[in-house]
Amino acid sequence: MNYKHLFFIVFAFLTLGCKQEKLSLTKIEGKQINISDSLAIHPDIEAFIKPYREHVNKDLDSVISYAVDTYSKKDGEYNTAIGNLFADAVIQESNIVFNQRTGKNIDMVLLNHGGIRAIISKGNISTRTAYEIMPFENSLVVVEMKGKTIQDSLVNYLSKAKRAHPISGLKIKMDNNFNITETSINNKPIEANKSYYVVTNDYLYNGGDRMTFFKTNDSLYVLNYKVRNALVDYFKKTDTINPVIDDRFIQTK
Amino acid sequence: MKRRDFIQQTSATAALITLGGLGLQSFTSGSKTTKITILHTNDVHSHIDAFGPEDGRNPNQGGVARRASLVQNIRNENPNTLLLDAGDIFQGTPYFNYYGGELEFKLMSMLKYDAATIGNHDFDNGVDGLLAQLPHAKFDFLSANYDFSNTVLDTFVKPYKTFNKDGIKIGVFGLGIELNGLVDKSMYKETVYLDPVETAQEMTRVLKEDEKCDLVICLSHLGYHYKNAPSKISDLSLAKATKNIDLIIGGHTHTFLPKPTVTKNSEGKNVLVNQVGCYGINLGKIDFYFDADKNKAAEGTSILV
């Protein structure tokens, strides 16, 4: 060890001798500065952002539909007006894309209750409303599922979840003990061996909200169509929205 | 002859590190101090405007136009300043949905960002979406552990970059998080994720030994620390497993730290790890003072956080 040090000293002595200055790191100071409103707004940067901001706001705030009432996902037990609107909008708009690509039609949709992130307030609906309901970037996917799988896993999941997960195309009746008494797709009994096309979002397809039944199926159609854009497209086509709680998922007392 | 001088100089530097201040400074003269300022952001997520006064969590905070004033003041005070970003520039406000990141990159260029690394959300429009916006960025993207060879981003992203500020050489390299399971494969395509620790070991060797940097900075999007998965690679575990990194600037976990963390590397030496939350609410500022004063140098490095 001593020898090693001596070696280094001698070596350093010889080589540093002709060096003018050796800078050493002597002190480090670290902190964070809050970007608060006490800081001046940089006029050039502000001026640069302005036209972008105005364009975005103008587009976001342009009225694309009208809501006759205020709708919240808390209003309703196993189906809600806003959830039904959400599901109906997604199945209608995604089917246009799916049908164009495959010639087939979507049979049902399942989304998640937690995915409705805001209420729809009575009055004008803008693109911003769609951003509030669906701030995430999730996209729609279509899964081909056998009737038996839908009955055994998807429907079973919904009866156990006891939440108003948005559905459309599918109908479920439960008794007092949450046993399934009646199910249908497009108002017909579910056929065990028939293939159905189920639209959902990529988050749920990948097992979100413990919906583990999607990924086990073979055929997946990635629509590259954002959930939010389906909502925007639906609102643009629909002059007035007036969704209601119906009988698509109910418990008979 | 030149080559020989280089090798000798390296050995001398190594000796200085080994011995601390022991008697070597008798040949130095003067007492010049050089201050290097590192400014950094992470996870700004397209938050170009400040939060409004009604915001429930961060009222009146953030905003690029305010950050710009602050950065300009700091640069006026000390021209030896670098401005860095640790990724997730994209996604979070409609600005991204409308312009795909164009405005974010243009503004960062106006603020004279020097480099950024790539976060998982920067893949939200795919490798093609990121490539499409790169012409708007007048700063470099650094990532040493994403191999983009078989993607359109090949040659557009560098593993590291060095900067010279008043005679001090600063090496900055980037590290990204594992994409599998976090980002859809159709977005990152054939991007290959390489082990961050091995990559960092190679990078620090290159930056210290080959490039002879005085300061080595890791721009990381690995995340600060995973309490529920301590074996998952994070900035704190990276610091512990490597050497020759002076500062790790982190992101991904949106961690608000009361102050920068001082931790030990594999050689028991100090490493600074910092992250400043998210959404452009804070700016990190780390000042490194280099001194020729023999007495000061003999005392080693003091860290004030």
Side-chain angles (χ1 to χ4, degrees):
Chain A
M1 197 61 196
N2 278 336
Y3 168 76
K4 200 176 174 188
H5 277 191
L6 187 67
F7 170 76
F8 270 120
I9 290 169
V10 171
F11 203 171
F13 196 97
L14 290 170
T15 50
L16 268 188
C18 49
K19 276 204 80 189
Q20 277 192 327
E21 229 178 16
K22 175 64 203 167
L23 293 172
S24 311
L25 180 61
T26 53
K27 190 169 72 168
I28 306 171
E29 280 178 339
K31 61 173 178 176
Q32 90 181 3
I33 305 166
N34 182 235
I35 309 297
S36 70
D37 52 3
S38 65
L39 290 165
I41 288 172
H42 195 295
D44 299 347
I45 300 292
E46 179 61 21
F48 189 82
I49 299 168
K50 205 179 166 215
Y52 288 87
R53 183 190 295 131
E54 282 172 354
H55 172 77
V56 168
N57 285 343
K58 196 179 151 200
D59 194 74
L60 279 177
D61 293 328
S62 60
V63 176
I64 53 175
S65 188
Y66 181 84
V68 297
D69 204 346
T70 294
Y71 306 100
S72 161
K73 67 175 178 180
K74 287 175 184 152
D75 301 333
E77 204 170 2
Y78 299 107
N79 77 87
T80 66
I82 190 172
N84 294 345
L85 169 90
F86 197 9
D88 292 346
V90 164
I91 199 167
Q92 179 187 309
E93 298 306 318
S94 61
N95 194 54
I96 296 168
V97 179
F98 185 66
N99 183 269
Q100 260 174 6
R101 280 199 210 157
T102 64
K104 296 163 185 157
N105 287 306
I106 294 170
D107 296 291
M108 61 161 283
V109 56
L110 171 61
L111 299 165
N112 62 326
H113 186 249
I116 306 169
R117 307 300 293 185
I119 60 165
I120 295 175
S121 299
K122 182 179 176 173
N124 289 336
I125 291 175
S126 64
T127 305
R128 196 181 292 281
T129 314
Y131 271 87
E132 287 165 358
I133 299 170
M134 185 58 209
F136 308 124
E137 300 306 310
N138 296 93
S139 292
L140 294 165
V141 296
V142 178
V143 192
E144 186 179 342
M145 292 175 84
K146 286 280 182 227
K148 186 171 165 38
T149 316
I150 292 175
Q151 188 73 48
D152 292 351
S153 52
L154 190 153
V155 171
N156 185 44
Y157 168 92
L158 288 173
S159 70
K160 292 208 162 54
K162 298 169 192 168
R163 293 187 79 185
H165 289 306
I167 55 171
S168 188
L170 174 71
K171 276 188 181 177
I172 304 173
K173 263 185 201 167
M174 303 184 295
D175 66 13
N176 266 332
N177 301 315
F178 301 97
N179 294 315
I180 309 293
T181 52
E182 211 180 307
T183 52
S184 68
I185 291 177
N186 295 325
N187 297 315
K188 287 176 205 153
I190 298 176
E191 294 172 45
N193 290 320
K194 192 185 165 185
S195 284
Y196 294 92
Y197 295 99
V198 182
V199 63
T200 186
N201 67 48
D202 49 6
Y203 167 74
L204 299 175
Y205 172 75
N206 286 312
D209 265 8
R210 289 191 295 277
M211 293 194 189
T212 50
F213 39 80
F214 285 124
K215 224 174 180 172
T216 52
N217 300 280
D218 312 328
S219 290
L220 173 73
Y221 302 83
V222 178
L223 298 185
N224 289 314
Y225 187 30
K226 285 183 183 176
V227 179
R228 185 195 309 119
N229 290 342
L231 270 181
V232 170
D233 291 342
Y234 179 83
F235 287 145
K236 281 183 176 167
K237 287 176 195 164
T238 315
D239 179 70
T240 304
I241 63 150
N242 188 14
V244 291
I245 297 169
D246 57 25
D247 65 345
R248 65 184 76 189
F249 188 15
I250 52 168
Q251 187 174 34
T252 50
K253 308 266 174 178
Chain B
M1 208 50 205
K2 274 265 183 248
R3 170 79 184 141
R4 200 178 136 83
D5 285 344
F6 249 74
I7 294 162
Q8 286 176 342
Q9 204 178 319
T10 318
S11 309
T13 313
L16 269 177
I17 291 163
T18 317
L19 298 177
L22 264 181
L24 293 170
Q25 282 77 21
S26 47
F27 296 96
T28 60
S29 56
S31 59
K32 191 193 164 212
T33 300
T34 305
K35 178 178 161 186
I36 304 291
T37 298
I38 307 296
L39 302 178
H40 62 94
T41 50
N42 59 275
D43 299 275
V44 179
H45 282 295
S46 305
H47 280 266
I48 285 159
D49 294 329
F51 284 96
E54 294 90 19
D55 187 83
R57 293 182 79 173
N58 311 296
N60 300 314
Q61 293 187 63
V64 178
R66 287 183 187 136
R67 195 195 320 150
S69 301
L70 178 63
V71 168
Q72 195 175 51
N73 290 343
I74 293 169
R75 281 195 202 273
N76 289 345
E77 211 175 276
N78 181 16
N80 300 322
T81 294
L82 288 183
L83 176 57
L84 306 170
D85 186 273
D88 276 7
I89 295 163
F90 287 176
Q91 195 69 267
T93 71
Y95 283 114
F96 178 68
N97 305 91
Y98 280 73
Y99 298 107
E102 173 192 327
L103 186 58
E104 289 82 337
F105 284 0
K106 280 183 169 172
L107 291 169
M108 287 173 76
S109 302
M110 290 173 84
L111 266 68
K112 299 191 178 70
Y113 269 80
D114 294 282
T117 195
I118 302 168
N120 47 302
H121 279 289
D122 300 318
F123 289 97
D124 279 5
N125 282 343
V127 282
D128 300 279
L130 179 54
L131 177 72
Q133 301 304 334
L134 285 184
H136 302 301
K138 292 188 181 120
F139 52 92
D140 284 305
F141 280 89
L142 307 178
S143 182
N145 73 325
Y146 289 152
D147 179 355
F148 289 116
S149 306
N150 294 320
T151 73
V152 292
L153 288 172
D154 186 30
T155 74
F156 287 97
V157 179
K158 299 172 179 173
Y160 71 88
K161 191 177 179 182
T162 62
F163 301 88
N164 269 300
K165 294 277 174 190
D166 207 7
I168 302 293
K169 193 169 181 184
I170 306 147
V172 183
F173 71 98
L175 287 179
I177 192 164
E178 176 151 31
L179 298 169
N180 182 22
L182 193 61
V183 178
D184 202 292
K185 178 91 163 73
S186 66
M187 294 297 168
Y188 65 84
K189 293 198 169 145
E190 297 306 314
T191 305
V192 179
Y193 166 82
L194 305 170
D195 181 73
V197 173
E198 283 171 29
T199 307
Q201 282 163 344
E202 171 62 10
M203 277 297 107
T204 50
R205 189 195 62 73
V206 169
L207 292 172
K208 268 289 165 193
E209 293 174 23
D210 300 348
E211 297 279 1
K212 298 182 174 54
C213 291
D214 301 292
L215 209 53
V216 174
I217 298 169
C218 172
L219 265 185
S220 153
H221 200 76
L222 295 173
Y224 179 72
H225 175 58
Y226 298 94
K227 226 189 301 175
N228 299 325
S231 61
K232 188 174 159 76
I233 183 71
S234 64
D235 293 339
L236 289 188
S237 57
L238 179 83
K240 206 179 284 180
T242 55
K243 60 180 183 179
N244 286 328
I245 300 176
D246 297 286
L247 169 65
I248 298 173
I249 294 170
H252 186 63
T253 42
H254 296 198
T255 306
F256 288 88
L257 293 169
K259 57 181 187 178
T261 305
V262 184
T263 185
K264 298 283 183 198
N265 70 10
S266 66
E267 293 180 318
K269 290 177 184 163
N270 288 326
V271 191
L272 235 62
V273 180
N274 202 22
Q275 190 177 146
V276 290
C278 54
Y279 309 148
I281 289 167
N282 297 303
L283 180 74
K285 181 173 182 279
I286 314 284
D287 293 316
F288 292 90
Y289 294 84
F290 288 85
D291 226 296
D293 186 300
K294 54 188 171 189
N295 296 321
K296 276 191 188 172
E299 288 162 13
T301 309
S302 62
I303 300 177
L304 302 167
V305 288

